[in-house]
PDB file of all heavy atoms in Angstrom:
ATOM      1  N   ALA A 142     -43.213  45.485  20.003  1.00 72.00           N
ATOM      2  CA  ALA A 142     -43.888  44.316  20.556  1.00 72.00           C
ATOM      3  C   ALA A 142     -42.761  43.681  21.438  1.00 72.00           C
ATOM      4  O   ALA A 142     -41.754  43.155  20.868  1.00 72.00           O
ATOM      5  CB  ALA A 142     -44.301  43.342  19.384  1.00 72.00           C
ATOM      6  N   ILE A 143     -43.012  43.649  22.722  1.00 79.00           N
ATOM      7  CA  ILE A 143     -42.145  42.911  23.513  1.00 79.00           C
ATOM      8  C   ILE A 143     -42.943  41.820  24.396  1.00 79.00           C
ATOM      9  O   ILE A 143     -42.307  40.882  24.957  1.00 79.00           O
ATOM     10  CB  ILE A 143     -41.323  43.773  24.565  1.00 79.00           C
ATOM     11  CG1 ILE A 143     -42.273  44.514  25.542  1.00 79.00           C
ATOM     12  CG2 ILE A 143     -40.426  44.759  23.847  1.00 79.00           C
ATOM     13  CD1 ILE A 143     -41.584  45.280  26.706  1.00 79.00           C
ATOM     14  N   TRP A 144     -44.264  42.112  24.344  1.00 84.00           N
ATOM     15  CA  TRP A 144     -44.999  41.157  25.188  1.00 84.00           C
ATOM     16  C   TRP A 144     -45.656  39.936  24.344  1.00 84.00           C
ATOM     17  O   TRP A 144     -46.122  40.345  23.156  1.00 84.00           O
ATOM     18  CB  TRP A 144     -46.353  41.891  25.906  1.00 84.00           C
ATOM     19  CG  TRP A 144     -45.851  42.955  26.961  1.00 84.00           C
ATOM     20  CD1 TRP A 144     -45.759  44.277  26.721  1.00 84.00           C
ATOM     21  CD2 TRP A 144     -45.517  42.653  28.217  1.00 84.00           C
ATOM     22  NE1 TRP A 144     -45.299  44.871  27.850  1.00 84.00           N
ATOM     23  CE2 TRP A 144     -45.230  43.762  28.875  1.00 84.00           C
ATOM     24  CE3 TRP A 144     -45.517  41.449  28.973  1.00 84.00           C
ATOM     25  CZ2 TRP A 144     -44.759  43.906  30.251  1.00 84.00           C
ATOM     26  CZ3 TRP A 144     -45.008  41.574  30.221  1.00 84.00           C
ATOM     27  CH2 TRP A 144     -44.858  42.753  30.917  1.00 84.00           C
ATOM     28  N   LEU A 145     -45.733  38.784  24.791  1.00 80.00           N
ATOM     29  CA  LEU A 145     -46.383  37.748  24.095  1.00 80.00           C
ATOM     30  C   LEU A 145     -47.809  38.090  23.964  1.00 80.00           C
ATOM     31  O   LEU A 145     -48.474  37.893  22.924  1.00 80.00           O
ATOM     32  CB  LEU A 145     -46.266  36.484  24.859  1.00 80.00           C
ATOM     33  CG  LEU A 145     -44.826  35.795  24.737  1.00 80.00           C
ATOM     34  CD1 LEU A 145     -44.768  34.575  25.694  1.00 80.00           C
ATOM     35  CD2 LEU A 145     -44.620  35.242  23.351  1.00 80.00           C
ATOM     36  N   ASN A 146     -48.344  38.651  25.015  1.00 84.00           N
ATOM     37  CA  ASN A 146     -49.921  39.029  25.027  1.00 84.00           C
ATOM     38  C   ASN A 146     -49.974  40.413  25.585  1.00 84.00           C
ATOM     39  O   ASN A 146     -49.778  40.710  26.809  1.00 84.00           O
ATOM     40  CB  ASN A 146     -50.711  38.061  25.771  1.00 84.00           C
ATOM     41  CG  ASN A 146     -52.168  38.308  25.688  1.00 84.00           C
ATOM     42  OD1 ASN A 146     -52.562  39.395  25.951  1.00 84.00           O
ATOM     43  ND2 ASN A 146     -52.854  37.340  25.591  1.00 84.00           N
ATOM     44  N   ALA A 149     -52.190  40.937  28.669  1.00 90.00           N
ATOM     45  CA  ALA A 149     -51.607  40.453  29.877  1.00 90.00           C
ATOM     46  C   ALA A 149     -50.428  41.381  30.340  1.00 90.00           C
ATOM     47  O   ALA A 149     -50.266  41.450  31.482  1.00 90.00           O
ATOM     48  CB  ALA A 149     -51.145  38.971  29.520  1.00 90.00           C
ATOM     49  N   PHE A 152     -51.350  44.285  32.343  1.00 94.00           N
ATOM     50  CA  PHE A 152     -51.509  44.021  33.802  1.00 94.00           C
ATOM     51  C   PHE A 152     -50.258  43.605  34.524  1.00 94.00           C
ATOM     52  O   PHE A 152     -50.062  43.941  35.699  1.00 94.00           O
ATOM     53  CB  PHE A 152     -52.571  42.789  34.047  1.00 94.00           C
ATOM     54  CG  PHE A 152     -54.079  43.253  33.641  1.00 94.00           C
ATOM     55  CD1 PHE A 152     -54.606  42.921  32.526  1.00 94.00           C
ATOM     56  CD2 PHE A 152     -54.700  44.084  34.653  1.00 94.00           C
ATOM     57  CE1 PHE A 152     -55.787  43.388  32.082  1.00 94.00           C
ATOM     58  CE2 PHE A 152     -55.987  44.517  34.311  1.00 94.00           C
ATOM     59  CZ  PHE A 152     -56.564  44.235  33.083  1.00 94.00           C
ATOM     60  N   ILE A 153     -49.513  42.837  33.961  1.00 94.00           N
ATOM     61  CA  ILE A 153     -48.214  42.467  34.537  1.00 94.00           C
ATOM     62  C   ILE A 153     -47.301  43.577  34.673  1.00 94.00           C
ATOM     63  O   ILE A 153     -46.597  43.746  35.815  1.00 94.00           O
ATOM     64  CB  ILE A 153     -47.439  41.249  33.673  1.00 94.00           C
ATOM     65  CG1 ILE A 153     -48.272  40.090  33.721  1.00 94.00           C
ATOM     66  CG2 ILE A 153     -46.094  40.995  34.150  1.00 94.00           C
ATOM     67  CD1 ILE A 153     -47.780  39.025  32.742  1.00 94.00           C
ATOM     68  N   THR A 155     -48.354  46.660  35.256  1.00 95.00           N
ATOM     69  CA  THR A 155     -48.916  47.317  36.298  1.00 95.00           C
ATOM     70  C   THR A 155     -48.407  46.641  37.722  1.00 95.00           C
ATOM     71  O   THR A 155     -47.984  47.432  38.652  1.00 95.00           O
ATOM     72  CB  THR A 155     -50.395  47.393  36.304  1.00 95.00           C
ATOM     73  OG1 THR A 155     -50.786  47.893  35.073  1.00 95.00           O
ATOM     74  CG2 THR A 155     -51.019  48.119  37.386  1.00 95.00           C
ATOM     75  N   GLY A 156     -48.418  45.390  37.672  1.00 95.00           N
ATOM     76  CA  GLY A 156     -48.046  44.603  38.801  1.00 95.00           C
ATOM     77  C   GLY A 156     -46.634  44.940  39.161  1.00 95.00           C
ATOM     78  O   GLY A 156     -46.241  45.075  40.349  1.00 95.00           O
ATOM     79  N   ILE A 157     -45.727  44.947  38.120  1.00 95.00           N
ATOM     80  CA  ILE A 157     -44.342  45.264  38.270  1.00 95.00           C
ATOM     81  C   ILE A 157     -44.113  46.486  39.016  1.00 95.00           C
ATOM     82  O   ILE A 157     -43.269  46.707  39.885  1.00 95.00           O
ATOM     83  CB  ILE A 157     -43.577  45.128  37.043  1.00 95.00           C
ATOM     84  CG1 ILE A 157     -43.448  43.514  36.486  1.00 95.00           C
ATOM     85  CG2 ILE A 157     -42.237  45.587  37.106  1.00 95.00           C
ATOM     86  CD1 ILE A 157     -42.980  43.397  35.143  1.00 95.00           C
ATOM     87  N   THR A 159     -46.196  48.442  40.775  1.00 96.00           N
ATOM     88  CA  THR A 159     -46.665  48.534  42.110  1.00 96.00           C
ATOM     89  C   THR A 159     -45.832  47.654  43.102  1.00 96.00           C
ATOM     90  O   THR A 159     -45.512  47.988  44.206  1.00 96.00           O
ATOM     91  CB  THR A 159     -48.192  48.070  42.260  1.00 96.00           C
ATOM     92  OG1 THR A 159     -48.359  46.917  41.554  1.00 96.00           O
ATOM     93  CG2 THR A 159     -49.048  49.235  41.717  1.00 96.00           C
ATOM     94  N   LEU A 160     -45.352  46.471  42.493  1.00 96.00           N
ATOM     95  CA  LEU A 160     -44.389  45.723  43.341  1.00 96.00           C
ATOM     96  C   LEU A 160     -43.123  46.395  43.645  1.00 96.00           C
ATOM     97  O   LEU A 160     -42.602  46.426  44.702  1.00 96.00           O
ATOM     98  CB  LEU A 160     -44.021  44.360  42.549  1.00 96.00           C
ATOM     99  CG  LEU A 160     -43.116  43.368  43.298  1.00 96.00           C
ATOM    100  CD1 LEU A 160     -43.810  42.925  44.513  1.00 96.00           C
ATOM    101  CD2 LEU A 160     -42.896  42.124  42.288  1.00 96.00           C
ATOM    102  N   LEU A 163     -43.746  48.831  46.356  1.00 95.00           N
ATOM    103  CA  LEU A 163     -43.879  48.175  47.554  1.00 95.00           C
ATOM    104  C   LEU A 163     -42.601  47.807  48.133  1.00 95.00           C
ATOM    105  O   LEU A 163     -42.256  47.872  49.361  1.00 95.00           O
ATOM    106  CB  LEU A 163     -44.733  46.839  47.396  1.00 95.00           C
ATOM    107  CG  LEU A 163     -46.266  47.038  47.396  1.00 95.00           C
ATOM    108  CD1 LEU A 163     -46.903  45.766  47.048  1.00 95.00           C
ATOM    109  CD2 LEU A 163     -46.667  47.510  48.840  1.00 95.00           C
ATOM    110  N   ILE A 166     -40.863  50.826  49.560  1.00 94.00           N
ATOM    111  CA  ILE A 166     -41.632  51.188  50.841  1.00 94.00           C
ATOM    112  C   ILE A 166     -41.039  50.053  51.844  1.00 94.00           C
ATOM    113  O   ILE A 166     -40.641  50.458  53.024  1.00 94.00           O
ATOM    114  CB  ILE A 166     -43.059  51.137  50.759  1.00 94.00           C
ATOM    115  CG1 ILE A 166     -43.362  52.314  49.861  1.00 94.00           C
ATOM    116  CG2 ILE A 166     -43.758  51.380  52.174  1.00 94.00           C
ATOM    117  CD1 ILE A 166     -44.930  52.375  49.552  1.00 94.00           C
TER     118      ILE A 166
ATOM    119  N   LEU B  33     -51.611  49.194  47.251  1.00 92.00           N
ATOM    120  CA  LEU B  33     -50.390  48.768  46.307  1.00 92.00           C
ATOM    121  C   LEU B  33     -50.323  47.200  46.218  1.00 92.00           C
ATOM    122  O   LEU B  33     -50.296  46.577  45.214  1.00 92.00           O
ATOM    123  CB  LEU B  33     -49.066  49.303  46.717  1.00 92.00           C
ATOM    124  CG  LEU B  33     -48.947  50.802  46.547  1.00 92.00           C
ATOM    125  CD1 LEU B  33     -47.586  51.237  47.119  1.00 92.00           C
ATOM    126  CD2 LEU B  33     -48.772  51.040  45.019  1.00 92.00           C
ATOM    127  N   ILE B  36     -53.419  46.003  44.266  1.00 95.00           N
ATOM    128  CA  ILE B  36     -53.171  46.177  42.799  1.00 95.00           C
ATOM    129  C   ILE B  36     -52.175  45.195  42.339  1.00 95.00           C
ATOM    130  O   ILE B  36     -52.472  44.661  41.166  1.00 95.00           O
ATOM    131  CB  ILE B  36     -52.742  47.745  42.572  1.00 95.00           C
ATOM    132  CG1 ILE B  36     -53.950  48.628  42.929  1.00 95.00           C
ATOM    133  CG2 ILE B  36     -52.372  47.806  41.180  1.00 95.00           C
ATOM    134  CD1 ILE B  36     -53.338  50.175  43.095  1.00 95.00           C
ATOM    135  N   THR B  37     -51.068  45.028  43.069  1.00 94.00           N
ATOM    136  CA  THR B  37     -50.012  44.067  42.669  1.00 94.00           C
ATOM    137  C   THR B  37     -50.682  42.717  42.435  1.00 94.00           C
ATOM    138  O   THR B  37     -50.408  42.032  41.497  1.00 94.00           O
ATOM    139  CB  THR B  37     -48.923  44.141  43.702  1.00 94.00           C
ATOM    140  OG1 THR B  37     -48.430  45.320  43.832  1.00 94.00           O
ATOM    141  CG2 THR B  37     -47.765  43.219  43.149  1.00 94.00           C
ATOM    142  N   SER B  40     -53.280  42.574  39.575  1.00 94.00           N
ATOM    143  CA  SER B  40     -52.681  42.777  38.339  1.00 94.00           C
ATOM    144  C   SER B  40     -51.926  41.379  37.838  1.00 94.00           C
ATOM    145  O   SER B  40     -52.104  40.991  36.685  1.00 94.00           O
ATOM    146  CB  SER B  40     -51.718  43.926  38.273  1.00 94.00           C
ATOM    147  OG  SER B  40     -52.284  45.080  38.635  1.00 94.00           O
ATOM    148  N   PHE B  41     -51.091  40.885  38.727  1.00 93.00           N
ATOM    149  CA  PHE B  41     -50.405  39.737  38.523  1.00 93.00           C
ATOM    150  C   PHE B  41     -51.332  38.507  38.211  1.00 93.00           C
ATOM    151  O   PHE B  41     -51.165  37.617  37.252  1.00 93.00           O
ATOM    152  CB  PHE B  41     -49.436  39.324  39.435  1.00 93.00           C
ATOM    153  CG  PHE B  41     -48.043  40.118  39.466  1.00 93.00           C
ATOM    154  CD1 PHE B  41     -47.555  40.671  40.628  1.00 93.00           C
ATOM    155  CD2 PHE B  41     -47.523  40.308  38.252  1.00 93.00           C
ATOM    156  CE1 PHE B  41     -46.339  41.339  40.507  1.00 93.00           C
ATOM    157  CE2 PHE B  41     -46.239  40.951  38.232  1.00 93.00           C
ATOM    158  CZ  PHE B  41     -45.757  41.620  39.276  1.00 93.00           C
ATOM    159  N   ILE B  43     -54.455  38.640  37.058  1.00 94.00           N
ATOM    160  CA  ILE B  43     -55.062  38.778  35.807  1.00 94.00           C
ATOM    161  C   ILE B  43     -54.172  38.631  34.585  1.00 94.00           C
ATOM    162  O   ILE B  43     -54.397  37.867  33.722  1.00 94.00           O
ATOM    163  CB  ILE B  43     -55.715  40.247  35.626  1.00 94.00           C
ATOM    164  CG1 ILE B  43     -56.908  40.416  36.683  1.00 94.00           C
ATOM    165  CG2 ILE B  43     -56.300  40.404  34.300  1.00 94.00           C
ATOM    166  CD1 ILE B  43     -57.438  41.898  36.722  1.00 94.00           C
ATOM    167  N   GLY B  44     -52.886  39.210  34.786  1.00 91.00           N
ATOM    168  CA  GLY B  44     -52.003  39.079  33.614  1.00 91.00           C
ATOM    169  C   GLY B  44     -51.570  37.580  33.355  1.00 91.00           C
ATOM    170  O   GLY B  44     -51.631  37.199  32.244  1.00 91.00           O
ATOM    171  N   ILE B  47     -54.366  35.516  32.160  1.00 89.00           N
ATOM    172  CA  ILE B  47     -54.595  35.549  30.604  1.00 89.00           C
ATOM    173  C   ILE B  47     -53.667  34.815  29.926  1.00 89.00           C
ATOM    174  O   ILE B  47     -53.824  34.044  29.016  1.00 89.00           O
ATOM    175  CB  ILE B  47     -54.542  37.040  30.239  1.00 89.00           C
ATOM    176  CG1 ILE B  47     -55.717  37.904  30.859  1.00 89.00           C
ATOM    177  CG2 ILE B  47     -54.454  37.186  28.729  1.00 89.00           C
ATOM    178  CD1 ILE B  47     -55.501  39.411  30.561  1.00 89.00           C
ATOM    179  N   LEU B  48     -52.308  34.934  30.444  1.00 85.00           N
ATOM    180  CA  LEU B  48     -51.286  34.085  29.735  1.00 85.00           C
ATOM    181  C   LEU B  48     -51.501  32.613  29.898  1.00 85.00           C
ATOM    182  O   LEU B  48     -51.320  31.716  28.986  1.00 85.00           O
ATOM    183  CB  LEU B  48     -49.826  34.407  30.348  1.00 85.00           C
ATOM    184  CG  LEU B  48     -49.285  35.804  30.041  1.00 85.00           C
ATOM    185  CD1 LEU B  48     -48.008  35.912  30.727  1.00 85.00           C
ATOM    186  CD2 LEU B  48     -49.059  35.839  28.569  1.00 85.00           C
ATOM    187  N   HIS B  60     -40.707  30.089  25.037  1.00 51.00           N
ATOM    188  CA  HIS B  60     -40.265  31.430  25.576  1.00 51.00           C
ATOM    189  C   HIS B  60     -40.000  31.233  27.045  1.00 51.00           C
ATOM    190  O   HIS B  60     -39.996  32.117  27.841  1.00 51.00           O
ATOM    191  CB  HIS B  60     -41.412  32.521  25.473  1.00 51.00           C
ATOM    192  CG  HIS B  60     -42.767  31.950  25.561  1.00 51.00           C
ATOM    193  ND1 HIS B  60     -43.291  31.638  26.707  1.00 51.00           N
ATOM    194  CD2 HIS B  60     -43.551  31.652  24.606  1.00 51.00           C
ATOM    195  CE1 HIS B  60     -44.471  31.172  26.460  1.00 51.00           C
ATOM    196  NE2 HIS B  60     -44.651  31.144  25.222  1.00 51.00           N
ATOM    197  N   SER B  63     -41.628  32.897  30.208  1.00 71.00           N
ATOM    198  CA  SER B  63     -41.607  34.368  30.376  1.00 71.00           C
ATOM    199  C   SER B  63     -42.731  34.964  29.532  1.00 71.00           C
ATOM    200  O   SER B  63     -43.050  34.494  28.476  1.00 71.00           O
ATOM    201  CB  SER B  63     -40.159  34.937  29.799  1.00 71.00           C
ATOM    202  OG  SER B  63     -40.229  36.313  29.532  1.00 71.00           O
ATOM    203  N   PRO B  64     -43.352  36.074  30.144  1.00 77.00           N
ATOM    204  CA  PRO B  64     -44.363  36.738  29.342  1.00 77.00           C
ATOM    205  C   PRO B  64     -43.951  37.590  28.323  1.00 77.00           C
ATOM    206  O   PRO B  64     -44.588  38.069  27.395  1.00 77.00           O
ATOM    207  CB  PRO B  64     -45.076  37.569  30.415  1.00 77.00           C
ATOM    208  CG  PRO B  64     -44.023  37.896  31.384  1.00 77.00           C
ATOM    209  CD  PRO B  64     -43.142  36.690  31.442  1.00 77.00           C
ATOM    210  N   PHE B  65     -42.511  37.715  28.121  1.00 75.00           N
ATOM    211  CA  PHE B  65     -41.946  38.606  27.050  1.00 75.00           C
ATOM    212  C   PHE B  65     -41.609  37.667  25.789  1.00 75.00           C
ATOM    213  O   PHE B  65     -41.312  36.561  26.077  1.00 75.00           O
ATOM    214  CB  PHE B  65     -40.614  39.175  27.628  1.00 75.00           C
ATOM    215  CG  PHE B  65     -40.826  40.212  28.687  1.00 75.00           C
ATOM    216  CD1 PHE B  65     -40.587  39.845  30.071  1.00 75.00           C
ATOM    217  CD2 PHE B  65     -41.349  41.499  28.400  1.00 75.00           C
ATOM    218  CE1 PHE B  65     -40.837  40.703  31.092  1.00 75.00           C
ATOM    219  CE2 PHE B  65     -41.499  42.404  29.544  1.00 75.00           C
ATOM    220  CZ  PHE B  65     -41.353  42.009  30.741  1.00 75.00           C
ATOM    221  N   ILE B  66     -41.508  38.371  24.710  1.00 71.00           N
ATOM    222  CA  ILE B  66     -41.009  37.687  23.472  1.00 71.00           C
ATOM    223  C   ILE B  66     -39.585  37.563  23.656  1.00 71.00           C
ATOM    224  O   ILE B  66     -38.825  38.623  23.971  1.00 71.00           O
ATOM    225  CB  ILE B  66     -41.425  38.538  22.232  1.00 71.00           C
ATOM    226  CG1 ILE B  66     -42.951  38.720  22.163  1.00 71.00           C
ATOM    227  CG2 ILE B  66     -40.697  38.035  21.106  1.00 71.00           C
ATOM    228  CD1 ILE B  66     -43.397  39.763  21.163  1.00 71.00           C
ATOM    229  N   MET B  70     -35.703  41.919  22.805  1.00 61.00           N
ATOM    230  CA  MET B  70     -34.667  42.926  23.156  1.00 61.00           C
ATOM    231  C   MET B  70     -33.273  42.484  22.510  1.00 61.00           C
ATOM    232  O   MET B  70     -32.252  43.180  22.849  1.00 61.00           O
ATOM    233  CB  MET B  70     -34.466  42.620  24.725  1.00 61.00           C
ATOM    234  CG  MET B  70     -35.678  42.781  25.546  1.00 61.00           C
ATOM    235  SD  MET B  70     -36.346  44.507  25.197  1.00 61.00           S
ATOM    236  CE  MET B  70     -37.845  44.346  26.287  1.00 61.00           C
TER     237      MET B  70
END
Side-chain angles (χ1 to χ4, degrees):
Chain A
I143 63 167
W144 294 99
L145 286 170
N146 184 316
F152 286 103
I153 292 172
T155 304
I157 290 172
T159 49
L160 181 62
L163 278 172
I166 294 169
Chain B
L33 285 173
I36 293 169
T37 304
S40 298
F41 280 134
I43 294 175
I47 291 171
L48 289 176
H60 37 77
S63 160
F65 295 101
I66 296 169
M70 303 299 178

